Each structure stands twice: as C-alpha cells, then as structure tokens.
Amino acid sequence: MKIVIIGSKGFLGTKAQEILSKDHEVIGVGRSNEPEFQLDATNKEAVREFLLKYKPDVVLDTVALTSSVKCENNPALAEELNYITARNVAEACKEIDSWIVFMSS
C-alpha cells in the first residue's frame, strides 16, 4: 500500500512513518530540506498536484497547531493549520479516490 504522510517531520508524523514504513511504501512530506518532498498543506493547489502525482492509497494528515495556548492567541493560524489544511487534503483525496486519515493530538 502506498501511504503519504503530510506533516511527516512532526512528532506524530515521524512516529507514523517509522511504524508504517516497515510494511508499506511511505512518502513523507511537509517541512523538508528536499524540494521534492516539501509541501505547504495550506496551499490547496500544491496539495492537489502532489497527491495527483503520487496517487497514494491512503493519506495520513498529521498537520496541526497543537498548542492550545497558541491556538487561543492566534485563532487565524489555528484555523489555517487545523482546518484549512485538512480540508485541502480531504478534497484532493476525494478527487483521486484515496482514503484520508486525519490525526491530531
């Protein structure tokens, strides 16, 4: 199974990639030094293009602003990282007929 993990450099994404890569083809994207695997999940078209290119069976979305204090102090950023990114991924997954698993701490 081909799995894309968006937010693969965060705590949850790192652990998921470590576990899932034992039995599956895993492509980790997010804040990366490798241009091919950089993805700004707030950019709807970038998410769409990336997922169309790789056509994963499953997308694991781990992007989130996890600090409740930061969310309270910056609701616009919280909305962007906790809602807009998930919407972008879900819409792209629907287009390519992939499963989405949304995880957040």
Side-chain angles (χ1 to χ4, degrees), residues 1-4 24-25 54-60 93 96-100:
M1 180 181 306
K2 186 187 302 184
I3 302 170
V4 166
H24 304 282
E25 177 185 354
Y54 288 98
K55 293 187 172 45
D57 301 298
V58 176
V59 177
L60 180 57
C93 284
I96 64 169
D97 199 29
S98 292
W99 286 88
I100 178 175

Side-chain angles (χ1 to χ4, degrees), residues 89-103:
V89 174
E91 288 176 358
C93 284
K94 183 177 180 180
E95 182 177 345
I96 64 169
D97 199 29
S98 292
W99 286 88
I100 178 175
V101 177
F102 175 78
M103 300 180 74

Side-chain angles (χ1 to χ4, degrees), residues 2 4 27 36-37 49-57:
K2 186 187 302 184
V4 166
I27 301 166
E36 182 179 2
F37 298 106
E49 287 176 13
F50 187 89
L51 295 181
L52 280 169
K53 178 179 179 180
Y54 288 98
K55 293 187 172 45
D57 301 298

Side-chain angles (χ1 to χ4, degrees), residues 34-48:
E34 301 172 49
E36 182 179 2
F37 298 106
Q38 288 180 353
L39 181 65
D40 176 1
T42 65
N43 182 324
K44 183 177 182 174
E45 191 55 32
V47 170
R48 181 180 176 275

Side-chain angles (χ1 to χ4, degrees), residues 65-75 78 82 105:
L65 182 60
T66 59
S67 166
S68 59
V69 172
K70 288 181 182 178
C71 288
E72 289 173 9
N73 291 335
N74 195 337
N82 296 338
S105 55

Side-chain angles (χ1 to χ4, degrees), residues 3-9 17 26-30 32 37-38 50:
I3 302 170
V4 166
I5 300 176
I6 300 177
S8 66
K9 298 298 182 187
Q17 187 163 356
V26 176
I27 301 166
V29 297
S32 173
F37 298 106
Q38 288 180 353
F50 187 89

